Amino acid sequence: MKRGFYAGSFDPFTNGHLHVVKKSAELFDEVVVGIGKNKEKKHRRFDRNAMRIAMEKAMESEGLKNVKVIIFDNLAVDAAIENGCDTLIRGVRNGMDYESEENLAATNEEISGLDTIYIRAGKLGIVSSSWVMELRDYNKDISKYVPEEIYKLIKM
């Protein structure tokens, strides 16, 4: 069984993230989506457990039966191995993403032996969690940038 691990802070989970999950679900028997901590971000905007529940509902709404959502507190490669995954999945929006992701992938492969695949965000490459939150903070409609279940969680 081929299992992929897609890690992120998902603060919040966007339609760009959902696009990566959908494509991953076509490639793998099972996809584990892991909500981790980002040490570069001092404070989370949304509780990880509340986000996990909303993400699970979004996966269910999309009919993604081979996707499960977890919370993890260690390195993504360690969480991937603990969950029986053999490949790391990363979404790429643009060339700058690719450069930083490639450095991370090389390190992850070195310490874990896990390979990384990249899935393009395509037309959703403009969507980032920070951008969605900035729009929300200025009272702009974000409903087209996040799944409905996430929108219910994060709307003001």
Side-chain angles (χ1 to χ4, degrees), residues 13 18 49-64 67-69 147-150 152-153:
F13 185 78
L18 181 59
N49 195 51
M51 187 59 61
R52 178 189 59 79
I53 292 167
M55 288 168 64
E56 286 173 344
K57 290 177 182 174
M59 302 307 162
E60 186 178 314
S61 294
E62 293 291 329
L64 297 170
V67 176
K68 75 175 187 176
V69 183
E148 181 180 346
E149 297 79 4
I150 304 303
K152 290 175 185 173
L153 174 67

Side-chain angles (χ1 to χ4, degrees), residues 115-146:
D115 197 10
T116 299
I117 66 163
Y118 305 113
I119 297 181
R120 289 185 58 248
K123 68 180 182 175
L124 299 170
I126 62 165
V127 179
S128 72
S129 296
S130 297
W131 184 72
V132 166
M133 291 309 300
E134 185 168 354
L135 289 175
R136 185 200 76 154
D137 291 347
Y138 284 99
N139 297 312
K140 300 297 180 191
D141 180 21
I142 60 168
S143 62
K144 61 185 169 189
Y145 302 117
V146 296

Side-chain angles (χ1 to χ4, degrees), residues 67-148:
V67 176
K68 75 175 187 176
V69 183
I70 66 162
I71 294 172
F72 69 98
D73 291 316
N74 50 349
L75 287 175
V77 292
D78 293 335
I81 292 167
E82 289 169 6
N83 283 276
C85 298
D86 44 39
T87 305
L88 300 169
I89 301 162
R90 299 299 297 167
V92 178
R93 294 176 298 194
N94 54 42
M96 289 178 12
D97 272 359
Y98 178 78
E99 291 293 323
S100 63
E101 291 295 343
E102 187 59 19
N103 290 332
L104 182 61
T107 302
N108 285 338
E109 186 174 4
E110 176 68 29
I111 64 174
S112 71
L114 295 179
D115 197 10
T116 299
I117 66 163
Y118 305 113
I119 297 181
R120 289 185 58 248
K123 68 180 182 175
L124 299 170
I126 62 165
V127 179
S128 72
S129 296
S130 297
W131 184 72
V132 166
M133 291 309 300
E134 185 168 354
L135 289 175
R136 185 200 76 154
D137 291 347
Y138 284 99
N139 297 312
K140 300 297 180 191
D141 180 21
I142 60 168
S143 62
K144 61 185 169 189
Y145 302 117
V146 296
E148 181 180 346

